[in-house]
Amino acid sequence: MTDHTQHSDGGDQVSADLHGLSGAYAVDALDEVERARFERHLADCAECRAEVAELQETAALLATDEVAPPPALRDAVLAGIETVRPLPPATGGDAPTDHRRARRRWRSGRTLLVAAAVVLIALAVGTAWLRPWAEDGGDTIATPSTTERVLEADDATRVRQDFPDGSSATVVLSRNEGHAVIVTEDMANAPAGRVYQLWLETPEGSMLSAGLMPDDPDTTLLLEGDAAEATAVGITVEPDGGSKEPTTDPIALFPLEA
Amino acid sequence: MDPARPGLDGVPDPGAPSGADLAALLNRSARGDRDAFARLYDATAARVHGLVLRVVRDPAQAEEVTQETYLEVWRTASRYDADRGSALSWLLTIGHRKAVDRVRSAEAASRRETTYHQRNQAVEHDVTADAAHASLEAKRVRTALADLTEIQREAVELAYLGGYTHTEVAALLDLPVGTAKTRIRDGLIRLRDAIGVGR
Ligand SMILES: [Zn+2]
């Protein structure tokens, strides 16, 4: 066994325990909590990253079964990618001493916002045969002028949410303009077959759809609808194409001052 | 190792892509090349789906998981790092994670209870079935597996092919809680060293 003592996160005993999870992690045998904990460790432990990569490579050798999926699956996949934008490369280079960046880099391939992981995993399950990728998502057209007016309004207020995976979202509201804009940074895409949907909460407490978010980690989007009296902005995960009303608890809620 | 494997039923396969070819196809997919992605799919789908089906068992659910896997591969292709492993292993890792997340969902939980025993037995049969696998690589793996202790081999197979957590593996093998993760790691390391992965 290798001995890595350069760890600062939590003492040698804790680190030693964490190193020992590399094998179970490589074959996805950790439960949710352990997995999240180990991934935090991975971000800072180059030796475990290397070991995990090797053990994943090793485990893959056990996947000797070959079963050709039905041709319809190929068609569905190739149709599906038409509406999915490939992520840009993770930039920022190798800076192993920069923990923040290392962590972000490591996690950048993950689909799920950590904050929402439990919710999203529950949702990603039981998706019916993924629908043929309805051509929604184009209906949240931000007219630059309105967006700019909101962002630069004298009465603009900002509510920011930071997520544990390093991503963030900020809602900018201008009561005078009657609109709100959301600005995301490093936001993970919604799971396949799902979409992030925006909502405006009315003073009466009902949620009105404010449009769908594109799968784009860094986006600036004008919310649809009248935000002059909205009391909150919410984001939920909905089936592709969105829902008439929220079908899940919000993964993020931005309370707006009156 | 050479992760490329030929043999896609019904798909003409003029010269199966090598590992380097797969990595190149993945890189081109990252740039939005759909043809490259289609070739990548053709070259790997049987292997990925075979693993997903092995873990998930239910064919309809396995097809969903395989579909989700390839959409994820397309979306995150730019994040593949050839220094960290082969393209095929990267695909299988994504597929395995999704398969495991699927079987562990609350929805599947109740169904699994009833098949716990059946699955445990199935592990024994599969060894025989796999022995029939003709490929050289599979033979090497089989030989290397023989180097593992019985407990190590079972722990690795239950975790990877069965999709069980290390806690479940401990229960299945009557091991003290907390020791299965060590057996899994020791087994994988021994397997790695016997086969020479990453050396
Ligand atoms: Zn470590």
Side-chain angles (χ1 to χ4, degrees):
Chain A
M1 259 199 235
T2 46
D3 177 23
H4 358 204
T5 47
Q6 74 273 36
H7 289 283
S8 53
D9 56 347
D12 288 349
Q13 187 53 49
V14 174
S15 286
D17 289 350
L18 285 170
H19 301 316
L21 295 179
S22 61
Y25 177 81
V27 292
D28 296 313
L30 297 180
D31 66 33
E32 277 302 314
V33 176
E34 293 168 320
R35 184 194 285 177
R37 198 159 152 252
F38 187 73
E39 286 185 349
R40 280 197 298 277
H41 171 70
L42 269 182
D44 295 325
C45 183
E47 291 196 42
C48 277
R49 281 203 299 276
E51 182 165 290
V52 162
E54 286 180 3
L55 298 186
Q56 283 174 335
E57 190 88 30
T58 303
L61 296 171
L62 300 173
T64 49
D65 292 358
E66 290 192 25
V67 181
L73 186 75
R74 184 182 194 272
D75 297 341
V77 165
L78 296 184
I81 64 169
E82 295 292 333
T83 58
V84 177
R85 175 177 177 265
L87 285 178
T91 51
D94 291 292
T97 51
D98 182 342
H99 290 193
R100 240 193 95 104
R101 189 188 291 167
R103 178 170 297 140
R104 179 175 293 187
R105 213 171 112 81
W106 175 257
R107 293 213 178 133
S108 55
R110 300 269 171 262
T111 337
L112 309 178
L113 277 168
V114 173
V118 176
V119 179
L120 296 194
I121 286 167
L123 283 170
V125 161
T127 37
W129 182 261
L130 299 175
R131 296 193 286 119
W133 311 94
E135 49 285 340
D136 295 292
D139 49 353
T140 46
I141 297 156
T143 43
S145 55
T146 308
T147 302
E148 280 169 19
R149 286 207 307 276
V150 170
L151 293 176
E152 289 162 15
D154 290 336
D155 72 326
T157 56
R158 287 159 201 273
V159 187
R160 178 185 167 112
Q161 298 256 358
D162 292 305
F163 302 102
D165 67 343
S167 63
S168 72
T170 304
V171 168
V172 184
L173 168 74
S174 167
R175 301 279 186 198
N176 291 346
E177 296 293 336
H179 284 289
V181 168
I182 189 163
V183 182
T184 66
E185 282 179 56
D186 278 349
M187 181 115 165
N189 284 5
R194 301 276 154 171
V195 65
Y196 293 128
Q197 188 162 5
L198 293 158
W199 306 91
L200 284 169
E201 188 186 59
T202 68
E204 295 76 40
S206 54
M207 293 291 230
L208 302 178
S209 175
L212 306 177
M213 292 175 65
D215 271 344
D216 185 350
D218 303 299
T219 192
T220 299
L221 184 70
L222 178 69
L223 273 66
E224 294 172 10
D226 185 353
E229 308 215 304
T231 52
V233 167
I235 306 175
T236 63
V237 182
E238 301 293 336
D240 265 348
S243 303
K244 291 261 186 283
E245 52 190 41
T247 61
T248 59
D249 289 335
I251 59 165
L253 198 62
F254 306 80
L256 303 176
E257 286 175 32
Chain B
M1 70 163 229
D2 175 9
R5 301 173 67 88
L8 280 242
D9 297 343
V11 178
D13 196 2
S18 71
D21 291 341
L22 293 180
L25 291 174
L26 203 44
N27 286 337
R28 282 168 53 194
S29 300
R31 301 198 290 267
D33 185 334
R34 295 186 203 80
D35 292 336
F37 184 77
R39 287 177 55 205
L40 180 71
Y41 177 94
D42 290 338
T44 58
R47 190 84 178 270
V48 169
H49 190 59
L51 175 64
V52 167
L53 185 64
R54 177 73 175 259
V55 172
V56 173
R57 303 286 172 126
D58 177 67
Q61 289 199 54
E63 285 169 22
E64 288 176 18
V65 171
T66 298
Q67 184 178 1
E68 288 170 12
T69 299
Y70 277 97
L71 292 177
E72 177 82 358
V73 166
W74 167 259
R75 197 175 70 77
T76 59
S78 67
R79 308 301 161 92
Y80 166 66
D81 179 357
D83 293 340
R84 292 237 311 261
S86 71
L88 182 63
S89 160
W90 190 73
L91 262 67
L92 288 167
T93 298
I94 293 175
H96 190 265
R97 170 71 66 94
K98 286 189 178 296
V100 159
D101 286 345
R102 174 64 65 107
V103 295
R104 290 197 195 141
S105 71
E107 182 191 287
S110 57
R111 185 169 40 74
R112 275 181 99 217
E113 296 297 325
T114 62
T115 53
Y116 228 72
H117 184 61
Q118 284 167 272
R119 287 204 197 195
N120 196 12
Q121 286 188 322
V123 171
E124 304 300 324
H125 299 308
D126 288 331
V127 176
T128 326
D130 282 358
H133 204 291
S135 94
L136 250 162
E137 180 185 293
K139 266 185 202 153
R140 277 171 61 214
V141 173
R142 192 56 53 200
T143 308
L145 273 173
D147 262 9
L148 274 57
T149 68
E150 184 69 10
I151 290 288
Q152 285 174 346
R153 186 183 60 75
E154 283 191 309
V156 166
E157 290 189 338
L158 282 170
Y160 189 67
L161 301 175
Y164 294 105
T165 65
H166 68 90
T167 311
E168 291 168 335
V169 169
L172 286 165
L173 296 178
D174 291 323
L175 295 171
V177 179
T179 57
K181 58 178 186 282
T182 311
R183 300 286 168 274
I184 292 168
R185 180 164 180 262
D186 293 348
L188 284 171
I189 286 174
R190 199 181 275 199
L191 198 54
R192 175 196 71 187
D193 294 345
I195 295 174
V197 170
R199 296 294 126 131

